[in-house]
Amino acid sequence: DAGVIQSPRHEVTEMGQEVTLRCKPISGHDYLFWYRQTMMRGLELLIYFNNNVPIDDSGMPEDRFSAKMPNASFSTLKIQPSEPRDSAVYFCASRPQGSKDIQYFGAGTRLSVL
Amino acid sequence: QKEVEQDPGPLSVPEGAIVSLNCTYSNSAFQYFMWYRQYSRKGPELLMYTYSSGNKEDGRFTAQVDKSSKYISLFIRDSQPSDSATYLCAMSATVRYRGSTLGRLYFGRGTQLTVWP
């Protein structure tokens, strides 16, 4: 299996622009997680899905952030409008049901908002 | 107070040293405990996994869980330059406790380790 696939790997945009990050989980995994990682705050859970349904979005920082999972093999995280403080590395992770909560991470998207 | 506390370091040791990394937590419902290793510009990868209290050994790595003290540790023996990475502890609950959500992991901030030759 190719693992969790994220795109793009790097994104540079200007403040106010819309940013869309993409994730393809490992086939057969029922859970999908979106994280943000910064030096100051470490790894923060933004939102996660179980069987394409959002379970907990309490980590989404504000209404500018939205996430969707239209099917079991694809998810997006959108920031609109983007701000410089959104600059971070965004990770997607997935895991199968009953896996003792072990998650498998993608390589991340490094976002820079100028 | 965060659910999981971890000293971010940085920690710098010579090759061959024994390294001790630690996390404390506050949620007594946590039952699964993990250590992830993250190399620079990569995603975290699972390194060690333990259930409930006790020790687990895998080669040069030993994970310890002390649930009575809400304290977990990762020991690295004979550390190598290739061990240089950020180590994140993570844990999850099997029952709901004070608003915790099932199915997710709670991560420490990570400790940045450098092993120099």
Side-chain angles (χ1 to χ4, degrees), chain A residues 17-92:
Chain A
Q17 296 298 306
E18 177 179 295
V19 175
T20 299
L21 311 181
R22 297 173 176 79
C23 176
K24 176 179 169 58
I26 295 172
S27 176
H29 283 195
D30 301 304
Y31 285 85
L32 184 139
F33 303 81
W34 281 102
Y35 292 89
R36 176 172 67 177
Q37 187 176 42
T38 61
M39 290 292 292
M40 289 297 297
R41 301 175 68 88
L43 195 64
E44 301 175 279
L45 178 65
L46 300 177
I47 184 171
Y48 74 99
F49 297 83
N50 181 211
N51 292 323
N52 312 337
V53 175
I55 302 300
D56 185 349
D57 65 354
S58 61
M60 296 286 261
E62 49 197 274
D63 291 344
R64 298 185 297 107
F65 286 68
S66 62
K68 294 182 179 179
M69 192 164 187
N71 56 62
S73 59
F74 183 67
S75 178
T76 60
L77 177 68
K78 187 174 293 186
I79 308 173
Q80 167 63 18
S82 58
E83 297 182 3
R85 60 194 169 115
D86 301 330
S87 297
V89 182
Y90 291 80
F91 287 103
C92 177

Side-chain angles (χ1 to χ4, degrees), chain A residues 9 31 33 35 37 39-43 45 48 55-56 91 95 100-103 105-107 110, chain B residues 2 32 34 36 38 41-46 49 88 92-93 101-105 107-109 112:
Chain A
R9 289 296 312 277
Y31 285 85
F33 303 81
Y35 292 89
Q37 187 176 42
M39 290 292 292
M40 289 297 297
R41 301 175 68 88
L43 195 64
L45 178 65
Y48 74 99
I55 302 300
D56 185 349
F91 287 103
R95 72 167 181 88
K100 301 176 184 177
D101 296 347
I102 296 172
Q103 295 179 18
F105 283 77
R110 185 171 295 272
Chain B
K2 288 194 68 175
Y32 296 124
M34 299 161 219
Y36 279 79
Q38 184 178 18
R41 297 187 177 269
K42 302 287 187 182
E45 294 178 303
L46 181 70
Y49 170 91
L88 300 100
S92 64
T101 308
L102 298 183
R104 62 161 291 183
L105 290 177
F107 281 89
R109 278 190 58 188
Q112 185 179 345

Side-chain angles (χ1 to χ4, degrees), chain B residues 9-15 17 19 111-116:
Chain B
L11 185 61
S12 181
V13 301
E15 183 175 353
V19 175
T111 300
Q112 185 179 345
L113 171 67
T114 300
V115 182
W116 42 275

